[in-house]
Each structure stands twice: as structure tokens, then as C-alpha cells.
Amino acid sequence: MFNTVSDLDSGQRLLVRIDINAPVENGHAQDNRRFERHAESIRTLLEDGHAVAVMAHQGRPGRDTFISLESHADILGDHLSQDVEFVPDTFGEDALEATEALESGEVLLLENVRMCEDELPEKEPETHAGSEFVQTLAPKFDAYVNDAYSAAHRAHASLVGFPLVMDAYAGPVMEAEYTANSAIQDREFEGPVTMVLGGTKAEDLIPVIERVDDTVDRFCLGGIVGELFLRAAGHDVGYDVEETEFFDHQWDDHANTIESILETYGDRLTLAADLAYEGDDGERAETAVEGLEKDTSYLDVGTESAETYADLVRESDAVFVKGALGVFEDERFATGTVTVLEAIAETDCFSVVGGGDTSRAIGMYGLDEDDFGHVSIAGGAYVRALTGEPLVGIDVLETAAAA
Ligand SMILES: Nc1ncnc2c1ncn2[C@@H]1O[C@H](COP(=O)(O)OP(=O)(O)O)[C@@H](O)[C@H]1O
Ligand SMILES: O=C(OP(=O)(O)O)[C@H](O)COP(=O)(O)O
């Protein structure tokens, strides 16, 4: 087991890793549940008299969502009702000066850690621990706190490097998500178990289908992952159109696995029978999969598919959701995601809804969180935990505690 912040003496200088990776609109972060949960954690730390320097990431280099954390500092500050100083630097002179000046009860947010060359890619914790980034920041603090459960599946420097060179603790969000998701892993269900997979990160979900083959009876697919499976099934969809960067690279890397999963587990996979897109008049339009065209962007599963998925949910004893079935942020393309979430809420089944973006749909469409078993701010990390796969960010905290 790992140490937690309740093991800390008060009044420490803390380096705290959180996950406020958020949707981006017009270059600005949009509030999601991650801010609220992390603000609660930070408030507890500040009340204990700690000085808190926060590290976090946003997007991935090369993507539109790869932006500075300046707007994140404002959102975090609003949730905290306290000023969060934004420092546009990760571990250079400005960052060191700002962290040195930080006093008990104060909080600052360092720049997007993925802008620091040492953060990516995935490496062994020992290698990350020796990086200039870790070696420069670690001595400036009394302890490191990892509260970023939702990023704990990534072997990046800010998540796995620091615990090897300083006292390391799990934060309150990390502890709560770990406890909830570990308990789910051990549950047994009498009736059908359904997994609804969508969103943009197909590469995180493809391996999950094989790993949970003995516990999940059927998968309902949508979003980018669903379109890639439709492509594998021979339909004209799942190709990048204009500026999109979702499909081709994930297809190039995973086409063989997708095709073999379709062959082996095809009877358990429910693919969309129709998809929705933006018609010439700007309204939602739909087509059966037989009529799909390679150069159209499909933004949701169709109404017939949404109803089929909702029927499967109603017959289920447990439902696990990771990723949205469409671009639910735009009301025209929320049908798939919302129809399935409403069916879960109305049904007496055990359910988990995960994903930083997907969990946001619950609040956006007036659903009651109490109608779901667990709403996780983690996506990829929660489905990985569900399959019994270790999370490297937690492993290093446990190793640190045992040392
Ligand atoms: N067909 C689609 N085309 C583009 N984006 C999609 C599509 N379907 C779903 N999405 C987007 O996927 C996002 C969620 O993806 P992802 O980041 O993988 O999930 P999460 O953050 O919930 O784990 C949603 O914000 C939604 O807009
Ligand atoms: O948003 C995240 O994961 P999620 O979309 O699976 O919930 C985490 O911040 C990890 O981000 P990454 O998938 O760019 O490494």
C-alpha cells in the first residue's frame, strides 16, 4: 500500500501532481469535474498549512488541445475561492523563484508539464528520476504528492520520476479513485455485463476488449473506436477528414488487433447500424452504415443504434462506460451518449461512468450522479484497473512506501 497525505506532518512544502486535462474551446480550458475534485484536495492541503506547487498536463504535443495552463489556474482558483498563481515555466529560473517564494497556505500552478522535454515519452521510473527536470525540482520540496489517478497509467516523469527521489504520498483523489475502482474489480455480477466504449482514445480501449473477455458479455461501440471497428468491418468510415487526426495513426498502429478482435469476439461486439453527421442545412442528419462516405465526419451514433444500446443496457446487471458515443458537447450530437446514460440512470444496474470528458456529460444533460454506481474522473486508468492491469504511477508510490 502507499502512504497518504494523512501521514504528512503539517506545514510542508509540497510538489503536487494533479490531472486537470480538460476540453478546450477557443484556446481555453473548459471546466470539468476534475477541477472540482482537485480543488477539494488542494483545499485540504492548504488548510493543513502546506505550501502547494501544482504540476499538471494538458493535451498532447501537436494537438489543438495542447495549450498553456493559464486558463486552468483561473478555473482552479474559482473552485478554491482563492488565487492560484500561474507560473509560465516548468522547472527553469522563473519556476524555482516562484516556488521558493511560496508560503504556507498558498498555491501556484506550474506550466503544462508536457511542455518540458523530460516529461515524455514513457520511460522506466529510474530513467525519469535521473532527468534534469526531476533532479532540479525535487530538492526544492519536502515531499511529493501524486493525486492524478486518471494519469497513473502513464510512465511520465512527473508521475513516476519523483517518488524515487523524495518522500512520496497519494493524494485524496488518488486514494478515493483507487479504493472505488479496486472494489469494482472484485465484484461479481449475476446477469449480463455490458461495456460501452467510445471517445477518441481507441488505443487505450482496444486492449481492454481482449483482457475483459471473461467478465464482459457485450461491448457497445461508438466514437472514434466504434468507427475504427466499422472500418475493419468493411464500411467507408474511420478515415481522417480534412484536419482531423483521430483515425489514420490509430488505424496504422492497431488495424491488425482490431481485425483480429472483430474475428474472435465479433459475436459480443455491437457496432453502430447508423451514424449521424452535420447536414448541408447545419442540422443533424443520419445514415445507415451501408451509406457511409469516407470524406464525411461522423459525429455520433445514429438514433437506431442509440436505442439498441439503451435496450442492451436495460437488460444488464452491470454497465461500464468509457468514452462518449459522440460529440455530446454539441447538443445535435449528444443523442447516443445521453440516450445510453439515461437508460443506465433509469435501470437498476450497477454502473460506472468514466473519463474526464464523458463524466462531464452527466452534469451537462441534467442527469443525477446518484443514479450511477460510480462516476470516475478517470478514463483510461479506470478501464485499465478494471482489467487488473497495474497502474505504474501507483506501483511507484507503493515501492516508495515499502522502501
Ligand atoms: N465521432 C466523434 N468524432 C469526434 N469526437 C468524438 C466523437 N465521438 C466522441 N468524441 C469525443 O470524444 C471525447 C471523449 O474522448 P476521450 O478523451 O477519449 O474520453 P474521456 O476523456 O471521457 O476519457 C468527447 O469529448 C467527444 O466530443
Ligand atoms: O484525460 C486523461 O485520460 P482519459 O481521457 O482516459 O480520461 C488523462 O489526463 C491522460 O491523458 P493522456 O491520455 O493524454 O495521457
Side-chain angles (χ1 to χ4, degrees), residues 114-186:
R114 290 187 179 173
M115 289 183 180
C116 154
E117 256 184 44
D118 290 343
E119 172 69 357
L120 305 171
E122 298 210 294
K123 287 183 198 157
E124 288 301 317
E126 292 74 15
T127 311
H128 275 312
S131 68
E132 197 187 344
F133 167 45
V134 172
Q135 291 292 324
T136 307
L137 272 190
K140 306 292 178 197
F141 296 91
D142 300 318
Y144 165 84
V145 175
N146 189 348
D147 212 14
Y149 178 87
S150 46
H153 53 316
R154 308 289 186 215
H156 298 156
S158 62
L159 296 152
V160 301
F162 290 99
L164 269 59
V165 297
M166 56 199 295
D167 287 345
Y169 301 82
V173 173
M174 172 71 89
E175 200 185 348
E177 288 280 351
Y178 173 83
T179 307
N181 291 310
S182 307
I184 292 160
Q185 198 188 314
D186 298 335

Side-chain angles (χ1 to χ4, degrees), residues 258-337:
I258 295 174
E259 282 164 353
S260 104
I261 289 175
L262 199 56
E263 209 178 301
T264 316
Y265 304 104
D267 56 336
R268 286 188 228 172
L269 302 183
T270 310
L271 306 188
D274 53 353
L275 292 180
Y277 59 99
E278 182 177 24
D280 292 339
D281 58 359
E283 298 292 315
R284 175 187 174 104
E286 298 195 354
T287 175
V289 290
E290 291 73 23
L292 296 172
E293 290 174 0
K294 274 186 193 168
D295 55 0
T296 301
S297 276
Y298 295 97
L299 300 170
D300 192 11
V301 297
T303 308
E304 184 190 324
S305 309
E307 288 303 335
T308 305
Y309 292 178
D311 286 343
L312 289 172
V313 161
R314 287 187 201 100
E315 293 165 7
S316 300
D317 200 21
V319 182
F320 298 94
V321 180
K322 154 64 171 121
L325 294 176
V327 183
F328 68 84
E329 295 86 348
D330 180 332
E331 229 172 291
R332 295 171 300 168
F333 302 108
T335 306
T337 307

Side-chain angles (χ1 to χ4, degrees), residues 19 21 34 57 59-60 114 150-151 153-154 201 204 322 355-356 377-380:
D19 183 4
N21 194 22
R34 289 181 174 166
H57 75 275
R60 299 178 185 181
R114 290 187 179 173
S150 46
H153 53 316
R154 308 289 186 215
K201 297 175 187 170
D204 284 344
K322 154 64 171 121
I377 54 168

Side-chain angles (χ1 to χ4, degrees), residues 31-152:
D31 198 357
N32 69 5
R33 297 168 45 81
R34 289 181 174 166
F35 287 93
E36 186 190 334
R37 294 277 304 276
H38 283 298
E40 279 169 27
S41 275
I42 293 169
R43 186 176 300 111
T44 312
L45 296 173
L46 297 175
E47 282 169 4
D48 280 345
H50 301 299
V52 176
V54 177
M55 288 186 294
H57 75 275
Q58 171 62 51
R60 299 178 185 181
R63 303 262 177 97
D64 290 351
T65 50
F66 184 60
I67 60 166
S68 160
L69 296 189
E70 190 170 1
S71 53
H72 299 65
D74 292 338
I75 301 173
L76 203 55
D78 286 346
H79 281 285
L80 265 172
S81 307
Q82 174 171 342
D83 191 39
V84 175
E85 183 194 352
F86 171 67
V87 182
D89 186 19
T90 48
F91 71 102
E93 262 176 41
D94 289 349
L96 297 185
E97 212 171 281
T99 55
E100 264 157 36
L102 197 65
E103 295 194 0
S104 161
E106 290 180 345
V107 52
L108 65 76
L109 176 63
L110 295 169
E111 183 55 289
N112 186 346
V113 275
R114 290 187 179 173
M115 289 183 180
C116 154
E117 256 184 44
D118 290 343
E119 172 69 357
L120 305 171
E122 298 210 294
K123 287 183 198 157
E124 288 301 317
E126 292 74 15
T127 311
H128 275 312
S131 68
E132 197 187 344
F133 167 45
V134 172
Q135 291 292 324
T136 307
L137 272 190
K140 306 292 178 197
F141 296 91
D142 300 318
Y144 165 84
V145 175
N146 189 348
D147 212 14
Y149 178 87
S150 46

Side-chain angles (χ1 to χ4, degrees), residues 163-402:
L164 269 59
V165 297
M166 56 199 295
D167 287 345
Y169 301 82
V173 173
M174 172 71 89
E175 200 185 348
E177 288 280 351
Y178 173 83
T179 307
N181 291 310
S182 307
I184 292 160
Q185 198 188 314
D186 298 335
R187 276 182 80 129
E188 288 190 5
F189 303 101
E190 279 172 17
V193 176
T194 300
M195 191 171 244
V196 181
L197 299 176
T200 59
K201 297 175 187 170
E203 54 211 359
D204 284 344
L205 306 181
I206 294 162
V208 167
I209 298 178
E210 285 180 298
R211 279 196 228 118
V212 293
D213 70 316
D214 54 343
T215 40
V216 175
D217 301 294
R218 59 228 182 164
F219 299 89
C220 298
L221 303 185
I224 305 308
V225 65
E227 292 183 36
L228 290 172
F229 274 85
L230 284 171
R231 176 170 168 177
H235 295 289
D236 282 337
V237 70
Y239 298 83
D240 281 323
V241 179
E242 293 168 4
E243 312 252 292
T244 65
E245 291 174 345
F246 293 129
F247 299 102
D248 294 337
H249 72 99
Q250 299 201 83
W251 177 260
D252 292 345
D253 292 345
H254 303 287
N256 291 341
T257 318
I258 295 174
E259 282 164 353
S260 104
I261 289 175
L262 199 56
E263 209 178 301
T264 316
Y265 304 104
D267 56 336
R268 286 188 228 172
L269 302 183
T270 310
L271 306 188
D274 53 353
L275 292 180
Y277 59 99
E278 182 177 24
D280 292 339
D281 58 359
E283 298 292 315
R284 175 187 174 104
E286 298 195 354
T287 175
V289 290
E290 291 73 23
L292 296 172
E293 290 174 0
K294 274 186 193 168
D295 55 0
T296 301
S297 276
Y298 295 97
L299 300 170
D300 192 11
V301 297
T303 308
E304 184 190 324
S305 309
E307 288 303 335
T308 305
Y309 292 178
D311 286 343
L312 289 172
V313 161
R314 287 187 201 100
E315 293 165 7
S316 300
D317 200 21
V319 182
F320 298 94
V321 180
K322 154 64 171 121
L325 294 176
V327 183
F328 68 84
E329 295 86 348
D330 180 332
E331 229 172 291
R332 295 171 300 168
F333 302 108
T335 306
T337 307
V338 174
T339 303
V340 166
L341 288 176
E342 282 175 349
I344 297 172
E346 286 160 12
T347 307
D348 189 22
C349 63
F350 175 76
S351 61
V352 185
V353 177
D357 291 324
T358 309
S359 56
R360 189 168 168 240
I362 290 178
M364 266 180 90
Y365 289 95
L367 293 154
D368 186 345
E369 196 173 321
D370 292 343
D371 289 331
F372 299 86
H374 177 54
V375 178
S376 177
I377 54 168
Y382 121 74
V383 282
R384 202 168 292 202
L386 208 63
T387 66
E389 279 281 293
L391 300 179
V392 63
I394 293 179
D395 283 353
V396 290
L397 290 180
E398 288 178 343
T399 307

